[in-house]
């Protein structure tokens, strides 16, 4: 592969997480281009990008904001594309961004849920696909302003299928760390295990918090919701055993207590991203989370009633929100 001295970054999907990544890479002087849509992205173009929260404050003036004017003119220009769209948009985004990636570049999935890495590989190849586990939280406080709310662990980067351009992968790790975002490269086994670990967390809390419209902390306080959470976790472990997937916990009981005692307390005030999507009239990521567990369960002959029910209820809320915007 050709050596690339200075990475050129494209953040494809400038929502809350994408804004933080792009803004922090800009802070250390990296070549960063943003691509996005909606009110927040328009505000970033017109007024600049503000970031605040637990990692401090940073402003990218509008004069320094570089956006994607014409994808055709940028073909093959970017060495590193950070795909930060929701899972429901991965197929279209990967297809659109693939021509923008340099021949020896890498496309990094900055996403939740299952199936994203495989979709990206369809368009850029397994040798240019990088998986990431991002577990810091961010939200759009208002258009043009992103807030970092919580950080549970380092950003993990790994090669899910086969070796990629190692120089670019290590440069991304170093640039993130230099910018103030904890990050490290891990093995293939570790990145898959980390992905499934976050799937466990999201499937346990995200849909239930969206359906009941309460912060995550309330879910752990109630015996009835704890029973549902335990059922979701047990089903995921059953599916993983059938698929020979290694999880970062020995069994469902261990993870259940880890979730309640370690993961829930620092995120007790967090509200589900699925609820934010529903209130905004957007589709959620349910098909890449509990919906994916249900599908994999059917394919493996495993019954997943808790994940099935949560998936059905979220789909109902999605349709209700789109049909009755006044109820949002």
């Amino acid at each position: 592969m050709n050596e690339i001295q200075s990475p050129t970054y494209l953040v494809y999907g400038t929502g809350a997480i994408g804004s933080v990544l792009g803004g922090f890479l800009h802070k250390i002087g990296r070549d960063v281009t943003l691509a996005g849509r909606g009110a927040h992205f328009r505000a970033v173009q017109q007024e600049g990008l503000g970031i605040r929260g637990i990692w401090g404050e940073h402003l990218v003036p509008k004069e320094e904001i570089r956006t994607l004017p014409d994808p055709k003119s940028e073909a093959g220009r970017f060495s590193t594309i950070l795909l930060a769209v929701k899972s429901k948009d991965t197929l279209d985004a990967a297809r659109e961004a693939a021509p923008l990636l340099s021949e020896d570049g890498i496309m990094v999935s900055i996403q939740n849920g299952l199936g994203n890495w495989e979709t990206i590989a369809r368009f850029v190849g397994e040798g240019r696909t990088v998986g990431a586990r991002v577990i810091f939280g961010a939200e759009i406080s208002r258009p043009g302003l992103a807030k970092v709310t919580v950080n549970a662990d380092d950003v993990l980067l790994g090669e899910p299928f086969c070796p990629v351009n190692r120089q670019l992968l290590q440069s991304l790790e170093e640039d993130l760390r230099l910018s103030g975002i904890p990050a490290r490269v891990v093995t293939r086994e570790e990145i898959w295990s980390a992905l499934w670990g976050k799937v466990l967390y999201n499937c346990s809390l995200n849909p239930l918090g969206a359906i009941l419209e309460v912060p995550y902390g309330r879910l752990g306080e109630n015996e009835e919701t704890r029973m549902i959470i335990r059922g979701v976790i047990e089903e995921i472990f059953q599916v993983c055993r059938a698929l020979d997937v290694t999880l970062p916990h020995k069994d469902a009981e261990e993870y259940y207590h880890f979730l309640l005692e370690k993961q829930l307390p620092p995120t007790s005030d967090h509200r589900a991203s699925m609820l934010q999507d529903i209130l905004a009239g957007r589709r959620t990521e349910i098909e890449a989370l509990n919906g994916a567990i249900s599908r994999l369960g059917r394919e493996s002959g495993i019954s997943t009633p808790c994940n099935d029910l949560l998936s059905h209820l979220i789909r109902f809320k999605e349709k209700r929100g789109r049909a009755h915007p006044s109820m949002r």
Side-chain angles (χ1 to χ4, degrees), residues 10-11 14 32-36 41-42 44-46 62-71 73-74 77-78:
L10 171 63
V11 179
T14 309
V32 181
T33 299
L34 306 177
F41 187 65
R42 290 193 296 272
V44 168
Q45 292 176 296
Q46 296 167 7
K62 66 176 182 179
E63 298 80 16
E64 298 178 23
I65 296 290
R66 183 180 300 161
T67 59
L68 199 64
D70 179 7
S73 69
E74 302 288 343
R77 187 174 93 74
F78 299 99

Side-chain angles (χ1 to χ4, degrees), residues 233-274:
I233 293 170
E234 290 174 349
E235 291 171 10
I236 294 175
F237 270 84
Q238 291 172 21
V239 169
C240 286
R241 281 195 294 271
L243 297 175
D244 199 24
V245 170
T246 301
L247 288 165
H249 301 274
K250 70 176 183 180
D251 55 32
E253 187 69 14
E254 180 187 275
Y255 177 69
Y256 173 73
H257 289 289
F258 178 76
L259 174 69
L260 294 184
E261 297 165 14
K262 300 295 184 181
Q263 291 186 305
L264 258 182
T267 58
S268 60
D269 295 329
H270 182 74
R271 288 189 174 271
S273 60
M274 284 190 187

Side-chain angles (χ1 to χ4, degrees), residues 2 10 24 27 48 60 92 97 116 118 132 144 163 168 181 192 222 232 240 248 262 283 296 300 325:
N2 298 327
L10 171 63
F24 271 60
K27 182 175 69 170
V60 184
D92 290 339
N116 295 307
E118 295 87 344
L168 286 175
I181 300 176
W192 278 107
N222 184 278
V232 168
C240 286
K262 300 295 184 181
R283 287 189 299 126
L296 293 171
S300 304

Side-chain angles (χ1 to χ4, degrees), residues 114 133 135 190-204 233 236-237 240 245-249 255 258-259 263 289:
L114 301 171
R133 193 284 311 270
I135 204 163
E190 288 174 309
I191 197 64
W192 278 107
S193 181
L195 171 70
W196 276 92
K198 192 172 183 188
V199 166
L200 267 171
Y201 174 82
N202 272 316
C203 287
S204 300
I233 293 170
I236 294 175
F237 270 84
C240 286
V245 170
T246 301
L247 288 165
H249 301 274
Y255 177 69
F258 178 76
L259 174 69
Q263 291 186 305
L289 294 170

Side-chain angles (χ1 to χ4, degrees), residues 119-295:
T119 300
I120 289 172
R122 285 174 50 192
F123 294 98
V124 302
E126 294 183 348
R128 295 196 293 170
T129 300
V130 171
R133 193 284 311 270
V134 177
I135 204 163
F136 70 84
E139 62 186 22
I140 302 300
S141 300
R142 58 172 171 76
L145 178 64
K147 181 180 180 182
V148 183
T149 55
V150 64
N151 181 45
D153 197 3
D154 297 350
V155 172
L156 301 185
L157 305 166
E159 301 158 310
F161 304 114
C162 61
V164 302
N165 186 325
R166 195 69 182 186
Q167 180 186 355
L168 286 175
L169 184 58
Q170 291 174 338
S171 292
L172 175 58
E173 175 197 36
E174 293 166 5
D175 285 346
L176 290 175
R177 293 172 62 181
L178 183 62
S179 77
I181 300 176
R184 54 193 166 97
V185 174
V186 297
T187 66
R188 179 181 185 274
E189 292 73 20
E190 288 174 309
I191 197 64
W192 278 107
S193 181
L195 171 70
W196 276 92
K198 192 172 183 188
V199 166
L200 267 171
Y201 174 82
N202 272 316
C203 287
S204 300
L205 302 176
N206 211 334
L208 196 55
I211 292 163
L212 299 178
E213 301 187 5
V214 297
Y216 283 175
R218 296 284 299 279
L219 301 176
E221 297 170 359
N222 184 278
E223 180 181 356
E224 286 74 21
T225 49
R226 289 198 301 269
M227 289 175 59
I228 297 171
I229 289 170
R230 186 189 289 269
V232 168
I233 293 170
E234 290 174 349
E235 291 171 10
I236 294 175
F237 270 84
Q238 291 172 21
V239 169
C240 286
R241 281 195 294 271
L243 297 175
D244 199 24
V245 170
T246 301
L247 288 165
H249 301 274
K250 70 176 183 180
D251 55 32
E253 187 69 14
E254 180 187 275
Y255 177 69
Y256 173 73
H257 289 289
F258 178 76
L259 174 69
L260 294 184
E261 297 165 14
K262 300 295 184 181
Q263 291 186 305
L264 258 182
T267 58
S268 60
D269 295 329
H270 182 74
R271 288 189 174 271
S273 60
M274 284 190 187
L275 178 58
Q276 298 171 39
D277 287 336
I278 289 167
L279 293 175
R282 299 187 296 259
R283 287 189 299 126
T284 71
E285 295 186 296
I286 192 65
E287 304 305 338
L289 294 170
N290 305 75
I293 298 301
S294 295
R295 176 178 55 79

